Amino acid sequence: TSIKIEGMPRNTGMHACGVVICDKPVDDYVPLFKSGDAVVTQYYKGWVEKLGLLKMDFLGLRTLTVITDAVNMIRKMVPDFDIEKIDIDDPATYKMLGEGGTYGVFQCESGGIRALMINMHPHNLEDIIAVIALYRPGPMDFIPAYLENRKHPDKIEYATPELKPILDVTYGTIVYQEQVMQIFRDLAGYSMGASDMVRRAVAKKQADVLEQQRKYFLFGSDGSDGSSPCDGCIKRGISEKAANKIFDDMGTFASYAFNKSHSAAYAYVTFQTAWLRCHYPAEFMAAMMTSVLDNTEKMVPYISECGNLGVEVLPPHVNFSDENFTVTDGKIRFGLLAIKQVSGAFIHEIVKERKENGDYKSFYTFCERVYEKGFNRRSVEQFIKCGALDGLGLNRRQMLLMMDVVVSSLEVDKKKKITGQIGLFDLGSEFAEHLEPAAPDVEEMPEKEKLAAEKETTGIYISGHPMAAYKKMAKAYKCARVDRLLEADPADPSSYRDGAKVSVLVIIATMRKKITKNDTTMAFLQVEDMNGAIEVLVFPKAYDKFGAMLEEDAIILMQARLSVRDDEAPKLLLESVTPAPSLVQFERGVNVPPPAYETVAPVRGNAPNTAPDAAPPEAPAQPAANQTAPARAKPRRLFLRFPSASDRVKASAESRVREFPGATPVCFYFEDTKQYDLKTGVAAEISAPLLENLRRMLGEKNVVLQ
């Protein structure tokens, strides 16, 4: 016997930045508990507010540090530069945003906002404020109406002329909570405090409170029932019909309205970052990369964007690099702190020693000068592999091979100093140079090995990229860029959608095999192009067919489906693999296979097919329950019926089906349009557990196999 208990707390949560402030110890007012090292109230935020306690949200923005770092670099060239005095009407900045130059710009890096900026062509700060407020779940539904009204302001109709001065700035659309408050004040005579109480009720969708406020909004109140006195719209000359329409519109739009003061503050930061990107791209991108030193996945796209901006990124070097990314002559120098497995304290000593006593002249003297300042063999090897010690007289292979003798020599020298003996190296640098250990006579490591070492130590390729030569091929095959795939967002209709078919030309960085419980083999790949890296799942059937082509460092043309989930990074599900043709073959057009999928980046989303070329005779207009195909019927298909293409349960059902990849096509039917989507690209291995799960999720009559 199972008992289902509803309404009971399942787990506790903690607000990311909410802080309760009291005049006395907090436990005098609310019960507390510990969540890790944090002390948290046992009451949820609504109860805390009702108790009258002050609850503040303290939000830290990495972008503010980025702006500060960029400004400090700019001041080395322009000492009196002040970011607070830049022209907020700068045409060049708005032109850049209107052309889609938003990468790195605060709140505007997603593909959706980039597309919105291109459609909108912002020309002042007010436009950016509106973008920040509109581009979020809920208000996004009103973006088309906003853009249409913005394009044709002469066609905007107001229920009453009194609305025009309030909504004119947002082209007849309620976008901000402040507009809701102003409508109640200007049209119905509410006080500031009363209008704010209505704003809260609207934002929290308190239907009972709103219905009561409708009466006051239309007919006013003398305050005898405890409400705030107001005239009401009718007393101020607005018809009852118009007042009701305005109130209904507020119920639709205002429930998603955003706080304009918040949006304006964010928009100002957005403009500052856009201005810096436009006028000082090197300093801005250097600051951006410094802010993600420990996150290679974010750094790779920024380095790629530097190329788009015409800014060169120079490799790390002990004589030129500082701890963070810096700018020299318009070029960005790689920061030493981005080198993996090297302590920050050791890097600080290296930079300090160089600034105090001059550049390092040779590999041996570098080791000698930092030997007693946190010297670590592993760290020095990391410097060698990434190229930070290039140009000191030896190639990378020579330096790696002579590490043993260098460490031994320095250790002997250290012991002599301790015992008071004078070493020959103390006789002068000119004489000491001749006593440095001799380097082995070997050639530099091959280019492939060199790039692999750079990737190992920094997470990126520095002196080149294995995929650089394949850029033209990827474009010819209309392959998707990995960084664009990683931007996919289930809530963003303008990005790649879940299940999108894509072709990618990539190199396999890592590969991990796994034996499943059914004793089959599957694999997890990490693949990358010049713009980013993404995980690829290779299920057993795909592995059996293409596993022989999958090995680390292999360059492949892959056809896959995109998997996008709210709680995890986008992944690819491999469907087929074609070995990439050699560059010579490609240039000559010899034995070049056609791409299986021609990927086209979405502009306003990839809508599912709603009209098949010809609906198959066996596909019922209203699928019946438990209907199965006759023994000699055409190949089976699984039909799933949804109220509409945007129904939320559709994503869950599609996700469940993808957990059972197979050969049976899965088709969708949408009740609102009475249309099929027969080309979903989803195929499943049909089993009783899958069908039972889907029927439980969608209902018996909405799952048909025939």
Side-chain angles (χ1 to χ4, degrees), residues 66-67 69-70 73 282-292 325:
V66 170
I67 292 173
D69 289 347
M73 284 185 272
E283 287 75 11
F284 174 66
M285 293 307 297
M288 285 295 297
M289 288 188 283
T290 293
S291 72
V292 293
F325 286 80

Side-chain angles (χ1 to χ4, degrees), residues 634-651:
K634 294 180 179 180
R636 295 188 307 172
R637 285 182 286 185
L638 177 63
F639 289 87
L640 304 180
R641 181 167 60 183
F642 304 100
S644 68
S646 60
D647 189 68
R648 289 190 176 184
V649 76
K650 175 177 173 289

Side-chain angles (χ1 to χ4, degrees), residues 165-410:
I166 301 173
L167 302 182
D168 188 53
V169 69
T170 51
Y171 308 100
T173 305
I174 298 175
V175 175
Y176 309 119
Q177 293 179 1
E178 286 87 344
Q179 289 174 316
V180 177
M181 295 171 63
Q182 192 173 354
I183 289 172
F184 275 89
R185 292 198 308 272
D186 293 359
L187 274 64
Y190 277 55
S191 67
M192 289 287 287
S195 67
D196 186 54
M197 294 299 292
V198 175
R199 175 197 63 79
R200 288 191 183 188
V202 170
K204 296 180 179 180
K205 300 179 178 65
Q206 296 173 339
D208 54 337
V209 177
L210 289 176
E211 199 52 43
Q212 185 182 38
Q213 290 297 329
R214 182 191 292 270
K215 180 179 68 174
Y216 301 147
F217 182 73
L218 268 66
F219 305 107
S221 170
D222 59 6
S224 59
D225 59 355
S227 62
S228 180
C230 63
D231 293 337
C233 290
I234 294 175
K235 186 176 181 180
R236 293 195 169 198
I238 300 171
S239 71
E240 183 176 346
K241 181 179 179 181
N244 266 310
K245 183 180 185 306
I246 293 168
F247 198 92
D248 289 339
D249 285 346
M250 282 193 293
T252 302
F253 289 87
S255 59
Y256 295 115
F258 194 63
N259 184 287
K260 186 176 183 180
S261 58
H262 185 176
S263 186
Y266 266 27
Y268 186 59
V269 176
T270 297
F271 180 81
Q272 287 181 326
T273 55
W275 190 94
L276 289 170
R277 175 193 154 100
C278 181
H279 296 281
Y280 291 94
E283 287 75 11
F284 174 66
M285 293 307 297
M288 285 295 297
M289 288 188 283
T290 293
S291 72
V292 293
L293 272 171
D294 57 347
N295 192 328
T296 303
E297 288 185 6
K298 289 187 177 181
M299 193 185 301
V300 171
Y302 288 142
I303 291 178
S304 177
E305 185 66 12
C306 287
N308 297 333
L309 294 171
V311 177
E312 184 179 353
V313 179
L314 302 173
H317 199 281
V318 291
N319 280 338
F320 310 114
S321 295
D322 285 343
E323 295 168 58
N324 297 323
F325 286 80
T326 53
V327 176
T328 305
D329 298 329
K331 300 176 181 179
I332 298 176
R333 177 65 71 172
F334 207 90
L336 295 179
L337 281 174
I339 302 173
K340 296 180 179 180
Q341 298 179 7
V342 182
S343 75
F346 183 43
I347 289 173
H348 178 76
E349 290 297 333
I350 290 172
V351 174
K352 181 181 177 183
E353 166 66 22
R354 183 191 75 212
K355 290 181 176 179
E356 291 178 352
N357 300 307
D359 290 351
Y360 300 104
K361 301 298 183 182
S362 70
F363 171 60
Y364 185 81
T365 55
F366 164 78
C367 295
E368 183 183 34
R369 287 169 61 178
V370 300
Y371 187 68
E372 296 184 13
K373 299 180 179 180
F375 180 93
N376 177 282
R377 175 175 178 148
R378 174 66 174 171
S379 298
V380 175
E381 287 177 345
Q382 294 293 91
F383 275 100
I384 295 171
K385 290 179 180 179
C386 74
L389 296 175
D390 287 358
L392 297 184
L394 303 175
N395 64 45
R396 298 183 193 181
R397 178 173 284 175
Q398 286 177 310
M399 289 185 280
L400 287 172
L401 290 176
M402 66 182 298
M403 277 301 298
D404 285 337
V405 68
V406 168
V407 172
S408 297
S409 176
L410 292 173

Side-chain angles (χ1 to χ4, degrees), residues 512-553:
R512 178 171 59 87
K513 300 177 185 178
K514 178 183 177 181
I515 305 299
T516 70
K517 60 183 179 181
N518 296 325
D519 202 29
T520 57
T521 303
M522 67 177 296
F524 300 86
L525 311 179
Q526 190 76 9
V527 303
E528 60 182 75
D529 62 7
M530 291 186 65
N531 306 294
I534 191 169
E535 185 180 9
V536 179
L537 274 59
V538 186
F539 290 109
K541 287 188 177 180
Y543 185 84
D544 289 344
K545 193 171 182 180
F546 304 105
M549 302 182 197
L550 305 177
E551 57 183 25
E552 292 187 4
D553 297 328

